[in-house]
Amino acid sequence: FPDDLEFPKRPSWKQGTSKYALESNEEKYFRDYANELFEKFDGISHFELNLETWRQLWRVIELSDVLLVTVDCRYPTAMFPPSLYRYVRSLGKDAILVLNKVDLLPLPLVLAWKAHFLKLYPDIKVTYFTSCPSYNLRSNFASDEPGLKHRRLRGRISMVTEGAQQVYEACKEIVTSAGVEVNLEGWEEL
């Protein structure tokens, strides 16, 4: 991503603003944002310039305390824009990056991707995910030591559980480091 490519920020609004005024303000802002992009960059896809998609993302970010971003581990930098991270952090929110499909890459490369993201984005949590039934996330990545370890096939659900457990642990770490009292028992059961 180019350094000067910024995340489109939702225009400020107040409680009680009419739906028409809010949508009109968003449309004007986004039209200006898109025009600026077309002036700066060649070959911009119109897909990314769908205002409804951005409206949904803005609202999800506003309603979330933690943003979970899942990327394909084979090319994660193409799926994780730095401007999204900067925007989320500017709002005082945390982010968890889930490296998905880790079973498709050699372990040293997956570990290198994690180190890369932690170096560039020190406040982000990075977890791994795979639904490959013979891949052991805990043994492979818990100690960050190279060497693949496989276990007997126990079905896809166990792998999904391990990935979900890592996300839960990252959320728990975020809440604990913030010093906030949050009851996570329901999450732990899930």
Side-chain angles (χ1 to χ4, degrees), residues 119-163:
K119 182 179 179 185
L120 289 178
Y121 314 106
D123 296 322
I124 201 167
K125 304 290 182 215
V126 180
T127 65
Y128 308 109
F129 194 87
T130 181
S131 55
C132 178
S134 64
Y135 204 76
N136 187 339
L137 284 175
R138 280 182 213 269
S139 296
N140 285 340
F141 297 109
S143 63
D144 285 347
E145 293 178 7
L148 296 179
K149 298 175 185 172
H150 292 272
R151 70 168 91 156
R152 290 187 198 118
L153 299 180
R154 294 193 322 166
R156 290 186 183 275
I157 192 68
S158 66
M159 297 316 297
V160 172
T161 302
E162 287 185 18

Side-chain angles (χ1 to χ4, degrees), residues 13-182:
W13 59 281
K14 297 178 183 172
Q15 199 72 6
T17 303
S18 73
K19 180 181 177 184
Y20 175 77
L22 178 63
E23 288 179 353
S24 178
N25 192 22
E26 289 175 348
E27 287 169 10
K28 182 190 178 320
Y29 162 79
F30 200 74
R31 188 173 42 254
D32 293 343
Y33 171 82
N35 288 337
E36 186 179 319
L37 284 182
F38 283 119
E39 289 174 15
K40 280 182 159 179
F41 305 104
D42 291 328
I44 298 283
S45 166
H46 287 274
F47 175 76
E48 290 87 3
L49 298 176
N50 180 337
L51 177 56
E52 285 308 311
T53 301
W54 288 101
R55 280 180 170 149
Q56 290 176 28
L57 182 57
W58 290 335
R59 284 158 181 80
V60 165
I61 292 171
E62 285 175 2
L63 295 171
S64 301
D65 295 317
V66 177
L67 188 67
L68 186 70
V69 181
T70 303
V71 299
D72 189 318
C73 195
R74 294 171 291 181
Y75 31 81
T77 55
M79 301 175 149
F80 188 76
S83 62
L84 172 64
Y85 173 78
R86 289 191 302 267
Y87 179 64
V88 168
R89 293 301 296 158
S90 76
L91 298 174
K93 297 175 184 264
D94 291 291
I96 299 172
L97 178 64
V98 179
L99 297 174
N100 192 20
K101 302 181 182 179
V102 296
D103 54 298
L104 300 177
L105 293 177
L107 179 59
L109 183 55
V110 175
L111 296 174
W113 277 126
K114 179 178 182 176
H116 169 78
F117 281 102
L118 290 174
K119 182 179 179 185
L120 289 178
Y121 314 106
D123 296 322
I124 201 167
K125 304 290 182 215
V126 180
T127 65
Y128 308 109
F129 194 87
T130 181
S131 55
C132 178
S134 64
Y135 204 76
N136 187 339
L137 284 175
R138 280 182 213 269
S139 296
N140 285 340
F141 297 109
S143 63
D144 285 347
E145 293 178 7
L148 296 179
K149 298 175 185 172
H150 292 272
R151 70 168 91 156
R152 290 187 198 118
L153 299 180
R154 294 193 322 166
R156 290 186 183 275
I157 192 68
S158 66
M159 297 316 297
V160 172
T161 302
E162 287 185 18
Q165 182 66 29
Q166 284 190 21
V167 171
Y168 166 75
E169 292 297 331
C171 288
K172 187 175 175 182
E173 190 177 322
I174 288 169
V175 169
T176 303
S177 67
V180 179
E181 283 290 322
V182 177

